[in-house]
Amino acid sequence: MSEKERQRSLVEIMNDVLSTVRNYYDSEYVYYIEKEYDDIETIYEWCAENVPWQRDKIKMLEAEQQPKWMKQEITDTTEESYSIFEQIGEESTAILAVVGVHRGGCELSLMYAVLPFIRQAIVLQKQQKQQEYLSYHDDLTGLLNRNSFVQYLAEAEKKERKTLGALSVDINGLKNFNKEFGRDYGDEVVIRVGEVLEEFFKSGMVFRLTGDEYLAVAEDASYEEFMKNIHAAHDKLDNISLGLVTMGYAWEKIDINVDNLVAHAENMMREEKQKYYKNLKKGHHEPIIKQDLLQDIEQGSFIVCLVPKIDVVTEEIVGAEAVVRYHHKDLGILNPEKYITLLQETRLSHHLDLYVFEEVCKTLRRWERDDIPMVPISVNFAGATLCQVDIADKMMALIEKYHVSCEYLEVEVSESYANMNQEMLSETSNKIRKENVRVTLDHFGAKDSSISILSVMEFDGLKLDKGLVSNIVGNSRSRIVAKAVIEVCRQLGAYVCASGVETQDQLNVLNELGCNYAQGSLFNKPITIDTFEVRYLKER
């Protein structure tokens, strides 16, 4: 940028003006000062060569120590110093002074001409700074705005980061707040949400993108720290008003792509928003659902059943998967698919997941106590459960409570979780594995699966999705894919289990491909724990 194109700073302008005034009056100093009562708010100084600067000393003077030219106008040109005043507010005064004048008898016309110019330059500079500020900040909340976010995206590729997290937040029903309580109340809600986000993302950036939508970006934060701040912010906002906001989030540490990360967070937020309004329309109320759920758990309405896991070669039992069935007082045991979906939508699924995990711990403890042959049992955890910061701690508390050996426990996780990307899933599974609980990657081969998860995430086992297994006999492409996955897992030291096995032909093909384990209707449907023990364990 050329010197002509570059906009001059206020300091440069002031230096030029004050130096001109000093040269004209041949003074030692020239000052421009703005005072509120006796307090100096602004001070600019220019002095002759080989004369020490006094700006900082003058600024620190008490009112009684201030020189005469600061307390009153001096327009007598026979004096050593001259000063002129201009009122710029009810309590504020602007002062232009030349101190230590060597050229006596000068007129004050230059000072009278310069003082309004300086005031105008300062006002224009402040207005320009305010405009620049408002170009990149939200006027209502003071947060960064969409222009700042666009600028951040433009510079994102140049910046190196260890990790990056994005949190998308939307206020639920802001229009209703404005309509029912007035716009001023709606503005207060907008401001308060911004304050809470800034509180928990102090080291990051918080943007207000639209009237009711925010984005928080956290750089170089660990996954645990990022999720902890999200949960803390959500809890605080819920304490202000239950269901005040909807959130979506994503986190990465490998091949970070800001656009994709933000898009993932925003997509999750929109999906959660749809669930919120869907439940609102149906009249669902989380506290009521939670109360019903906990009551059903306490009364034993949810029954843990086991699906046998069979060795493909020997066709002997090697483990089981725990599933839950709902016991209706009139209709008997039912598949609680709709109920579980509702729990996931209302983020209450962790209550049921941990109940199942505890029942499995109880069962393993009883088997060991009664000298029943032990086999590993896997438990499926929902994405919302895995997103809990302290989920590993809760699991370990149950393991220690029942003195269960971790080698008999597995947790099944899935890449299909809408609220977790690959790296978030990887971080969570690593945390669980550090507690010596094995992790199985579930539903591999489903439409949401990606081969890249195998290089990102550490796991002990992998489950081939039933959609891939169902075509494995008649579809050569399915066999090629399954064989490739089985070979990769073998080299990674992980076992492969095929789910949804229904025929002997499918089992034979899986055997030929080197698959380790299988489960499905060919062996048994989900059965109660007592039945499982009689059929598979007590005969061994």
Side-chain angles (χ1 to χ4, degrees):
M1 184 182 290
S2 68
E3 186 65 28
K4 287 183 179 179
E5 292 173 328
R6 186 177 70 84
Q7 192 163 10
R8 303 180 73 214
S9 70
L10 181 60
V11 172
E12 290 173 321
I13 294 170
M14 292 296 293
N15 287 344
D16 282 351
V17 172
L18 297 183
S19 66
T20 300
V21 173
R22 195 213 66 79
N23 291 339
Y24 179 79
Y25 292 100
D26 190 18
S27 62
E28 293 182 6
Y29 298 94
V30 60
Y31 293 98
Y32 173 80
I33 295 173
E34 290 182 4
K35 288 202 315 178
E36 186 172 349
Y37 294 112
D38 290 319
D39 296 327
I40 297 174
E41 301 291 327
T42 304
I43 181 169
Y44 290 94
E45 177 187 54
W46 193 259
C47 60
E49 290 185 17
N50 302 318
V51 174
W53 296 87
Q54 298 293 323
R55 178 181 177 275
D56 292 336
K57 287 184 180 179
I58 288 177
K59 194 171 183 180
M60 299 299 293
L61 292 176
E62 298 292 336
E64 61 274 10
Q65 298 173 317
Q66 292 175 357
K68 179 181 176 183
W69 56 263
M70 280 182 64
K71 296 178 179 179
Q72 65 183 59
E73 284 191 323
I74 302 176
T75 56
D76 182 353
T77 57
T78 64
E79 293 277 352
E80 183 185 349
S81 301
Y82 317 148
S83 62
I84 60 173
F85 289 20
E86 180 183 338
Q87 201 73 19
I88 58 175
E90 290 185 10
E91 294 94 14
S92 300
T93 305
I95 302 170
L96 180 63
V98 286
V99 178
V101 177
H102 297 296
R103 184 182 169 193
C106 296
E107 293 184 358
L108 301 182
S109 55
L110 178 61
M111 294 177 67
Y112 282 116
V114 165
L115 183 55
F117 170 78
I118 293 175
R119 281 293 310 136
Q120 186 179 20
I122 291 174
V123 169
L124 288 174
Q125 191 82 357
K126 286 181 178 178
Q127 288 176 346
Q128 182 184 336
K129 285 187 176 180
Q130 180 70 4
Q131 287 175 353
E132 289 176 359
Y133 178 84
L134 292 178
S135 294
Y136 292 95
H137 292 80
D138 177 55
D139 188 24
L140 179 61
T141 63
L143 300 174
L144 298 170
N145 62 10
R146 184 171 285 278
N147 287 343
S148 291
F149 178 61
V150 171
Q151 186 180 49
Y152 176 76
L153 286 178
E155 299 171 356
E157 293 182 3
K158 305 172 189 175
K159 198 169 184 181
E160 291 187 6
R161 310 171 186 82
K162 295 178 182 177
T163 68
L164 187 66
L167 169 66
S168 178
V169 179
D170 191 277
I171 300 174
N172 293 323
L174 181 59
K175 289 181 180 178
N176 293 333
F177 281 122
N178 290 330
K179 185 177 178 181
E180 188 171 350
F181 303 108
R183 188 164 293 277
D184 287 344
Y185 182 84
D187 287 348
E188 284 298 319
V189 171
V190 169
I191 293 169
R192 189 71 184 105
V193 171
E195 288 174 345
V196 171
L197 293 177
E198 279 198 303
E199 178 184 348
F200 292 100
F201 291 89
K202 293 173 185 174
S203 58
M205 288 157 286
V206 181
F207 304 88
R208 185 187 178 202
L209 300 182
T210 63
D212 57 1
E213 189 175 348
Y214 306 77
L215 180 73
V217 177
E219 296 181 337
D220 299 329
S222 68
Y223 177 65
E224 186 173 12
E225 179 187 355
F226 177 62
M227 292 304 299
K228 185 178 179 181
N229 286 335
I230 288 175
H231 289 301
H234 192 276
D235 289 346
K236 189 157 189 175
L237 290 168
D238 258 1
N239 286 336
I240 294 171
S241 179
L242 190 65
L244 179 61
V245 300
T246 300
M247 292 183 172
Y249 42 83
W251 181 91
E252 286 181 353
K253 70 174 181 179
I254 301 171
D255 296 328
I256 296 171
N257 185 303
V258 181
D259 285 313
N260 291 345
L261 188 73
V262 171
H264 184 98
E266 290 180 338
N267 288 338
M268 178 185 167
M269 182 273 290
R270 292 188 186 99
E271 289 177 6
E272 293 295 316
K273 190 91 169 175
Q274 289 176 355
K275 293 176 185 176
Y276 170 80
Y277 283 114
K278 179 182 173 184
N279 291 335
L280 198 65
K281 191 174 181 181
K282 289 181 178 179
H284 294 155
H285 190 42
E286 183 175 310
I288 296 173
I289 297 170
K290 181 178 179 180
Q291 187 178 354
D292 289 347
L293 169 66
L294 297 178
Q295 190 175 7
D296 281 343
I297 289 175
E298 188 177 337
Q299 293 177 352
S301 298
F302 287 101
I303 299 173
V304 176
C305 297
L306 297 180
V307 178
K309 185 186 294 184
I310 304 297
D311 186 295
V312 168
V313 177
T314 64
E315 295 190 24
E316 292 183 356
I317 190 75
V318 290
E321 176 188 353
V323 296
V324 68
R325 293 294 180 261
Y326 182 68
H327 185 268
H328 190 276
K329 60 180 182 179
D330 298 320
L331 301 177
I333 296 177
L334 303 174
N335 188 331
E337 185 175 338
K338 291 184 179 180
Y339 205 125
I340 290 176
T341 301
L342 177 59
L343 295 179
Q344 290 173 346
E345 289 176 354
T346 51
R347 296 184 174 274
L348 295 173
S349 53
H350 65 278
H351 291 287
L352 187 56
D353 289 346
L354 288 172
Y355 165 73
V356 174
F357 190 80
E358 183 169 9
E359 289 298 303
V360 167
C361 289
K362 285 181 184 177
T363 298
L364 290 170
R365 176 60 180 156
R366 183 171 55 79
W367 286 355
E368 185 176 18
R369 186 190 64 218
D370 296 346
D371 203 25
I372 296 174
M374 304 277 285
V375 295
I377 303 177
S378 61
V379 180
N380 245 302
F381 275 6
T385 303
L386 293 173
C387 282
Q388 289 193 327
V389 177
D390 57 350
I391 183 60
D393 296 333
K394 290 179 179 178
M395 289 169 57
M396 288 310 300
L398 291 171
I399 290 169
E400 291 172 6
K401 179 180 178 180
Y402 294 100
H403 305 288
V404 179
S405 175
C406 290
E407 66 177 296
Y408 293 106
L409 285 166
E410 293 184 7
V411 173
E412 295 188 9
V413 301
S414 174
E415 194 183 357
S416 63
Y417 299 146
N419 49 352
M420 299 187 85
N421 61 11
Q422 286 185 351
E423 292 178 44
M424 294 167 71
L425 188 63
S426 175
E427 287 291 314
T428 304
S429 68
N430 287 344
K431 198 172 178 181
I432 294 171
R433 292 181 81 246
K434 282 179 182 176
E435 302 294 350
N436 295 318
V437 176
R438 289 186 289 184
V439 172
T440 302
L441 183 59
D442 199 9
H443 300 303
F444 192 82
K447 63 179 181 178
D448 296 315
S449 297
S450 169
I451 194 74
S452 61
I453 188 70
L454 303 183
S455 64
V456 173
M457 175 180 159
E458 294 185 11
F459 55 93
D460 301 284
L462 177 146
K463 265 193 181 180
L464 293 176
D465 187 71
K466 61 182 180 181
L468 185 63
V469 174
S470 64
N471 297 320
I472 207 164
V473 175
N475 189 321
S476 60
R477 298 179 73 89
S478 294
R479 287 199 299 276
I480 292 170
V481 171
K483 184 176 181 180
V485 172
I486 290 168
E487 177 59 24
V488 168
C489 288
R490 186 186 67 78
Q491 294 190 36
L492 291 174
Y495 71 80
V496 176
C497 177
S499 56
V501 178
E502 298 175 347
T503 67
Q504 187 64 42
D505 288 341
Q506 290 173 344
L507 186 64
N508 293 339
V509 172
L510 290 167
N511 189 8
E512 291 173 10
L513 297 179
C515 183
N516 305 103
Y517 310 128
Q519 60 185 68
S521 60
L522 176 64
F523 310 106
N524 219 325
K525 62 181 181 180
I527 52 179
T528 63
I529 295 174
D530 290 342
T531 304
F532 181 89
E533 291 172 9
V534 171
R535 188 166 299 182
Y536 294 104
L537 301 182
K538 292 184 178 178
E539 294 177 357
R540 292 175 71 183

